[in-house]
Amino acid sequence: MQEIIDHKYLEELLLEKKKHDTGRVADVLPFQSKRTDNLTNHFHKMIGEYVRHITKIRVDEKAISNDLREFESEKNILSEHIASKIEFEDDEARYDFVRFIDEYLFNQDRMNTIHPYLFNFVPIEKTLTNEFGKYAHFLQDSLLQGDTEITDFFNQKEADDILTELIITNLDILTKKAGATNTAKSKYQPFLNQVSELYKEDLRFLSKHKEYFIQAFPQLTHYYAFMYACQFLWNLERYEKGSMTEVFPFYFAFEWESITKRRKAAHPLEGYKFIQERAENLFPHIHTLSQLSHNKLNEKYLENGPWSFMSYHEIYEKVIEKGEDYASRFLEDMNTWIMNYSEWARIRPRDKAPTIEKAFVTLFDCLKEGTSSTVAMKYGKNIEDLGSSMFLKRRGSIGYVFNLKHDFVLLLVAISVKDKRIPLNQLYIELERRGIALDYYSRQELVNLLDSHNILDKKSDSGDAQYVKPIL
């Protein structure tokens, strides 16, 4: 019987690497099994790297004078560079200007991005470039997906005031476009197109309100990166039913409200507990599917570039489309591979799976047993690291729950309502489209918040008779 799964390649790969490896298959997440606190504490620094990936703009250090580069450790080199292009009456005036620019642009270790173009200049330490470069690449490939409108927005340099124009003009001297040799190709295979389309829709709307965009862009990007990871895991846990086309609304709670174990946000299947308790499955799921993606149904089969990472749903649908005989062959092929993998991993052999659905679960169980529990745990904890500073809150004995802060709630309302008022019930639908569900008590909190900001037209207590007004 001719094999559908490429057993020979997989066996050679495992023997050569002596560990799990995704082989020819494309990456899907930028996670790593070595945990750091960078995601938790420094996510904002990744934003500059992300925008530079979008625009292909690079800072040309050679354009900075040697005198300034020599003293880079002692001064803010960008402030000094701007000052070096301006004539001053004396050194004291120059010193005052540099100090002003330092306070205006670089106060408190964060660049004050007063214009979208300045995101290209958000600095990042060399120790973070590898890890954050992966995340920037992931966001570009999986969320933005080459959207030209957003790219153009970050490339435009038109300023509304003289000071901003002065800063942009003199920093622009430092830029160069990445050439063909150092322009990275797509590395991460996108899934969850609904999440990507919502992200781009929200960015396009915010781009019409430049000042608010500057404030909201990092936070919104952070949220969508976190939610993408949560939704990806949720789909994987559903095996062949995980079509990657649905956004499951998890229950969130507001930061200021108290909750009990009976609240939806604390529910083991509808709140963060679902993610937390299954995060360690992410690593074996990815390697299960990486192995299964080495098959003749793969659209990139035999191509030189990365092969497609196929979900359980896609594999199942393509096999079933081929008919019963093909499905029987594929099941037999899977059972053979399960036996071969078990021998390599030196784990207990399994009985033959009677169906493709059960074979998926059996192979996953083998991968989970054959994987270091420490590696799987650390890899899965990347989701918690990604969300803990902004979108998770520890609630005593309940543990972490999905969390909404005040300023992010207003951002969600702004992108959900957009330019025209909508019924309150429609706002709940818009939030759920973005992965956020609210139980009865949280909905009451939201009504109180909207009322306090005077953005709720309350004709009666009925949700259909209450309207939320635009914020921007």
Side-chain angles (χ1 to χ4, degrees), residues 73-85:
S73 60
E74 301 174 16
K75 56 181 73 174
N76 191 312
I77 197 167
L78 293 182
S79 298
E80 290 288 344
H81 172 78
I82 294 169
S84 71
K85 302 300 179 181

Side-chain angles (χ1 to χ4, degrees), residues 113-114 116 160 206-216:
T113 45
I114 56 176
D160 298 326
L206 290 174
S207 68
K208 300 174 185 176
H209 307 272
K210 189 184 294 183
E211 289 186 11
Y212 192 68
F213 179 98
I214 291 168
Q215 170 193 333

Side-chain angles (χ1 to χ4, degrees), residues 8 64 77 198 254 262 264 401 448:
K8 183 180 179 182
I64 300 174
I77 197 167
L198 278 169
F254 294 110
R262 295 184 178 182
K264 287 284 193 177
V401 300
N448 293 336

Side-chain angles (χ1 to χ4, degrees), residues 447-465:
V447 168
N448 293 336
L449 176 66
L450 298 174
D451 203 22
S452 69
H453 284 276
N454 196 31
I455 52 177
L456 188 66
D457 280 337
K458 199 170 183 180
K459 309 300 182 185
S460 75
D461 289 335
S462 167
D464 290 323

Side-chain angles (χ1 to χ4, degrees), residues 12 82 112 117 143 180 203 242 273 296 311 340 421 441:
E12 290 175 352
I82 294 169
N112 179 21
Y117 186 70
L143 285 181
L203 285 186
K273 280 190 179 300
K296 293 180 179 178
S311 68
N340 293 346
R421 72 173 192 165
Y441 302 100

Side-chain angles (χ1 to χ4, degrees), residues 47-49 51-52 111 113 115-123 154 213-215 217-218:
I47 293 298
E49 195 72 4
V51 172
R52 287 187 287 274
M111 186 171 184
T113 45
H115 187 281
Y117 186 70
L118 293 182
F119 279 106
N120 288 289
F121 297 90
V122 173
F154 283 111
F213 179 98
I214 291 168
Q215 170 193 333
F217 169 65

Side-chain angles (χ1 to χ4, degrees), residues 60 68 80 131 158 184 189 211 232 283 292 350 386 406 414 438 464 466:
D60 183 7
L68 295 183
E80 290 288 344
E131 181 180 357
E158 183 179 344
Q189 182 177 328
E211 289 186 11
F232 188 68
F283 186 89
L292 291 178
R350 264 62 170 184
L386 190 54
H406 180 271
L438 301 173
D464 290 323
Q466 299 179 70

